[in-house]
Amino acid sequence: MCGIVGYIGTKEASGILLEGLRKLEYRGYDSAGIATVLEGEIHCVRAKGKLHNLEEKLVGETNPARLGIAHTRWATHGKPEEYNAHPHMDMAKRIAVIQNGIIENYRELREELKSRGCEFRSDTDTEVIPHLIAEELSKAEQVAEEPLIEAVRQVVRKLRGAFAIAVICADYPDELIVARQQAPVVLGFGEGEFYCASDTPALIPYTRAILNLENGELARMTPLGVEIYSFGGQRLKKAPRTLDVNPVMVEKQGFKHYMLKEIYEQPGVVRSCLEAYVNSAWTSADHKNSPIRFDLPQSWYRNLQHVQIVACGTSWHAGLVGKYLLEQLADVPTTIHYASEFRYAPAPLVPHTLTIGVTQSGETADTLAALEMEKARRDNKSEEFEARLLGITNRPESSLGQLVSNIIDTHAGIEIGVAATKTFVAQLMAFYALAIDIAFHRQTIAAQQIEALLTGLSQLPAQIELILESQERYIEELAHDFAETQDFIFLGRGINFPIALEGALKLKEISYIHAEGYPAGEMKHGPIALLDAKVPVVAIAMPGPVFEKVLSNAQEARARDARLIGVTPMDEQDAADTFDTLIPVPHIDEILSPILTVIPLQLLAYHIAARRGLDVDQPRNLAKSVTVE
Ligand code: M6R
């Protein structure tokens, strides 16, 4: 959480920095601030709330500075007030620092600094950093050739936690220092100008030549180039790579919100996943080669006894669908864990286990920590217990990509809306392909069944298009009825239970309406007490083994006066008789249905939130990338 951006070069820094913040605002929007080096002084402006408040403060200001840093905050330590906004400065206001992450030992550092006469102006953990740098700088100036980076290097070695920082100093107007420890930061390379940012969208308008700083590394950026060092002080040789992204992908392209645009991108995302994952020439006569091009180590398929999935939020819901697929198609016992729980209470080691971390951003602190912990506890164990780690992510270049050597890229393109939509559908596609791949190697399902699944998957893009074309208007109208609703229940069973959870999460996070997802059969064990005419119930009812059961569960809700909305195939008479309102989806094999049933739920959440006049893309209290515990 929090977005950092920095610039050094030949152009006016402030415009580039503000544009960068615009692209990073999805990471947090409690406050924003900018600091530049101008005429030998640090010029710092900060504002509480969203970026436009900072922009308003800067209206009419001309600032020719060529060096600067800027920050958009998701508050951890200290309220979202201007005095807690970054950049933070040392006492003499010569050094300015921005940080993304948490400095875990800030209390003791703060006390030490105070005992040496330091006065603090904020409640943040970050403020210790400029004060410490000021102390170290006066020492480094006596001994070091490059005092500023040396001072920062000394300080980062004292910090505990996960952080990415950028530092400028009025006395070094040609230097921007950046450091990374467990929080993302990417460097951008231009002609005589250089950038740093928490994420690539801030850099894409200016350069495609990028370099991900790794944990324990510092960069000294000057108009002449970039030098990389380890925290130990060793100079490292690294070259930038070219990022393959189309700038159009990070614009709204005429949609009112990124979220709606991203919902509409889903047919294309499914097509991209199919192209990347499936060998279209495969037929059921081919018993030798998998229809899926994942290229996982062959040894992983042998003796596979257990899959464990770690993830958070929407990615956890995708993992829950994955569990169902891996068990039902590939016959592998699969467990799923909230990464935040798993990292402190891991399940006992099972031999021949595949561990899958699912994270669209590849930066979620808990998921990364759970995987690191799993790697560490399997280290030096016998072959049967060795770590087999697989990442499913939309950002292969992320920290996850650095941690795990086998990655499934979900090919969804950058997602800006804080509520995950297209990346969820892409994660589901990854799990379908993985389950088919493992099922093929373990021969747990017939080749004809694999062929049928692949045919079904190939029809999904057109079916999603049909839902979008035929239902969006209708769902927009329907949303009017719920603008004042306070509680919602979502029901599903089997493979659509995770979709009920996802529908509830989408509604909660962007409309602030209380919503719960339940396995439909569990309602009568307690939650049914919540129901009355004021609580709408959305039930996902797809023909299959539990179709009639879901309809019966829906009837039980109806008997308590709840308004019933059914996500169900067109022309299902029993469903039409059960529900007050129908949101039809195409007929499809139940096992493939989550990719269709989630679409109306995304649209419903979107239109209810939009109807309530809320900030759909940047809901309160949230950030897209949760890089702190
Ligand atoms: O980047 P990740 O997939 O690891 O993020 C996990 C969650 O923070 C994320 O899915 C969150 O729940 C979204 N806001 C859901 O829309």
Side-chain angles (χ1 to χ4, degrees):
M1 6 257 300
C2 298
I4 67 171
V5 55
Y7 174 79
I8 185 162
T10 50
K11 302 199 185 84
E12 283 188 11
S14 57
I16 292 169
L17 295 172
L18 287 175
E19 188 53 35
L21 288 188
R22 239 167 260 136
K23 294 288 176 1
L24 297 181
E25 210 182 4
Y26 71 87
R27 301 178 69 87
Y29 26 84
D30 288 330
S31 64
I34 180 169
T36 49
V37 174
L38 189 60
E39 292 165 2
E41 304 287 333
I42 298 268
H43 178 60
C44 183
V45 183
R46 308 182 297 175
K48 177 181 170 173
K50 294 200 170 187
L51 179 58
H52 60 80
N53 296 342
L54 176 68
E55 287 171 322
E56 271 166 29
K57 275 193 165 183
L58 295 171
V59 168
E61 190 177 271
T62 41
N63 182 344
R66 306 286 194 254
L67 166 64
I69 54 177
H71 187 270
T72 181
R73 177 169 189 243
W74 186 84
T76 58
H77 295 65
K79 288 185 174 172
E81 296 292 343
E82 186 178 321
Y83 65 89
N84 285 324
H86 300 216
H88 291 286
M89 288 196 272
D90 67 318
M91 295 239 290
K93 300 193 175 174
R94 306 295 295 162
I95 297 163
V97 174
I98 49 175
Q99 194 242 151
N100 166 33
I102 290 184
I103 308 304
E104 287 170 0
N105 57 338
Y106 82 100
R107 277 193 198 83
E108 72 192 65
L109 294 170
R110 197 176 162 109
E111 288 316 307
E112 282 169 24
L113 282 158
K114 275 187 179 170
S115 71
R116 296 196 287 268
C118 192
E119 282 166 23
F120 281 79
R121 305 183 191 99
S122 79
D123 306 325
T124 65
D125 52 338
T126 304
E127 198 189 337
V128 296
I129 303 173
H131 295 307
L132 287 170
I133 294 173
E135 288 187 345
E136 290 297 334
L137 188 58
S138 50
K139 292 184 222 161
E141 279 170 341
Q142 311 303 314
V143 290
E145 264 179 48
E146 306 293 356
L148 186 57
I149 190 167
E150 179 55 20
V152 176
R153 190 176 79 78
Q154 292 300 335
V155 171
V156 290
R157 286 153 62 100
K158 293 181 184 169
L159 305 178
R160 275 205 318 272
F163 55 84
I165 62 171
V167 182
I168 54 173
C169 176
D171 301 315
Y172 295 86
D174 287 328
E175 287 187 50
L176 167 61
I177 309 294
V178 185
R180 173 197 162 124
Q181 184 60 43
Q182 307 282 358
V185 64
V186 56
L187 311 181
F189 293 69
E191 289 289 320
E193 54 186 0
F194 301 93
Y195 311 78
C196 69
S198 299
D199 199 358
T200 48
L203 307 185
I204 289 168
Y206 311 107
T207 179
R208 304 294 156 74
I210 66 147
L211 176 70
N212 289 77
L213 212 56
E214 292 186 25
N215 290 336
E217 289 181 354
L218 296 131
R220 176 172 176 265
M221 310 174 86
T222 73
L224 300 178
V226 177
E227 298 156 14
I228 315 270
Y229 297 87
S230 69
F231 282 9
Q234 195 189 2
R235 176 91 187 256
L236 305 171
K237 277 219 157 64
K238 299 209 157 192
R241 63 190 171 84
T242 306
L243 190 69
D244 178 21
V245 185
N246 176 349
V248 153
M249 282 158 63
V250 291
E251 303 301 336
K252 278 193 203 145
Q253 294 175 309
F255 284 92
K256 195 164 172 216
H257 295 101
Y258 282 110
M259 180 177 175
L260 190 59
K261 171 188 161 245
E262 287 157 2
I263 290 173
Y264 269 85
E265 282 172 347
Q266 293 178 113
V269 169
V270 173
R271 283 192 188 99
S272 303
C273 290
L274 287 169
E275 268 168 37
Y277 302 161
V278 179
N279 171 5
S280 55
W282 185 86
T283 69
S284 53
D286 187 346
H287 301 294
K288 218 168 128 230
N289 304 300
S290 170
I292 304 300
R293 306 198 202 106
F294 277 165
D295 258 354
L296 299 180
Q298 283 302 313
S299 60
W300 285 17
Y301 300 102
R302 274 198 302 276
N303 309 324
L304 182 59
Q305 274 184 27
H306 171 226
V307 175
Q308 61 187 3
I309 302 169
V310 291
C312 303
T314 286
S315 296
W316 189 89
H317 297 156
L320 200 51
V321 174
K323 168 182 159 64
Y324 189 96
L325 295 172
L326 289 161
E327 290 186 338
Q328 303 308 314
L329 298 178
D331 201 27
V332 200
T334 302
T335 54
I336 169 141
H337 309 265
Y338 290 112
S340 53
E341 294 293 320
F342 184 81
R343 59 185 292 194
Y344 294 112
L349 290 182
V350 174
H352 305 296
T353 291
L354 171 63
T355 302
I356 307 177
V358 192
T359 161
Q360 83 78 22
S361 62
E363 300 294 351
T364 296
D366 284 318
T367 307
L368 296 176
L371 291 169
E372 266 165 13
M373 189 270 290
E374 189 61 12
K375 198 174 188 176
R377 73 175 179 149
R378 286 178 181 270
D379 222 24
N380 298 323
K381 288 267 183 316
S382 60
E383 195 245 320
E384 60 176 347
F385 285 103
E386 77 181 1
R388 300 168 177 180
L389 302 185
L390 174 65
I392 297 181
T393 184
N394 202 38
R395 308 298 295 275
E397 75 285 4
S398 62
S399 303
L400 180 79
Q402 293 176 26
L403 177 68
V404 168
S405 46
N406 285 278
I407 288 285
I408 299 178
D409 181 348
T410 52
H411 297 284
I414 288 173
E415 187 175 69
I416 303 284
V418 164
T421 52
K422 62 175 181 171
T423 54
F424 174 69
V425 157
Q427 289 169 344
L428 296 188
M429 288 301 292
F431 272 115
Y432 281 105
L434 183 66
I436 290 171
D437 190 37
I438 297 178
F440 174 86
H441 283 93
R442 289 164 62 89
Q443 298 183 359
T444 51
I445 55 174
Q448 287 72 14
Q449 198 183 342
I450 291 184
E451 213 163 44
L453 285 168
L454 295 176
T455 305
L457 288 171
S458 70
Q459 290 164 351
L460 287 170
Q463 290 170 324
I464 301 172
E465 269 154 8
L466 183 64
I467 297 173
L468 294 171
E469 277 161 25
S470 62
Q471 299 304 315
E472 208 231 324
R473 266 301 148 68
Y474 173 62
I475 293 171
E476 187 176 4
E477 297 272 302
L478 189 63
H480 290 199
D481 297 357
F482 302 119
E484 304 302 323
T485 302
Q486 290 188 355
D487 304 280
F488 256 90
I489 301 283
F490 290 77
L491 301 179
R493 283 182 89 141
I495 198 161
N496 274 302
F497 163 53
I499 303 307
L501 293 177
E502 178 60 8
L505 178 63
K506 286 292 88 96
L507 190 66
K508 273 186 272 210
E509 64 182 339
I510 60 169
S511 74
Y512 318 147
I513 293 175
H514 166 244
E516 299 208 32
Y518 259 95
E522 274 295 299
M523 276 299 282
K524 53 186 161 302
H525 298 289
I528 200 163
L530 295 169
L531 296 187
D532 62 25
K534 294 199 289 296
V535 183
V537 173
V538 181
I540 305 163
M542 296 303 286
V546 291
F547 183 52
E548 275 150 18
K549 310 275 175 210
V550 175
L551 295 185
S552 304
N553 300 142
Q555 291 287 5
E556 291 156 13
R558 179 177 227 177
R560 274 83 190 170
D561 296 328
R563 175 167 172 187
L564 283 184
I565 300 139
V567 175
T568 191
M570 303 146 182
D571 319 324
E572 278 297 336
Q573 196 50 50
D574 287 351
D577 295 343
T578 304
F579 295 111
D580 301 308
T581 305
L582 288 179
I583 306 181
V585 292
H587 273 281
I588 187 169
D589 186 346
E590 191 201 20
I591 203 161
L592 299 176
S593 65
I595 290 197
L596 298 188
T597 55
V598 75
I599 309 289
L601 304 190
Q602 295 169 342
L603 287 170
L604 187 65
Y606 170 78
H607 280 298
I608 292 176
R611 180 79 198 155
R612 286 160 75 101
L614 298 172
D615 190 341
V616 172
D617 287 330
Q618 295 180 343
R620 70 183 179 202
N621 303 339
L622 293 178
K624 179 111 191 122
S625 190
V626 185
T627 55
V628 295
E629 262 197 69

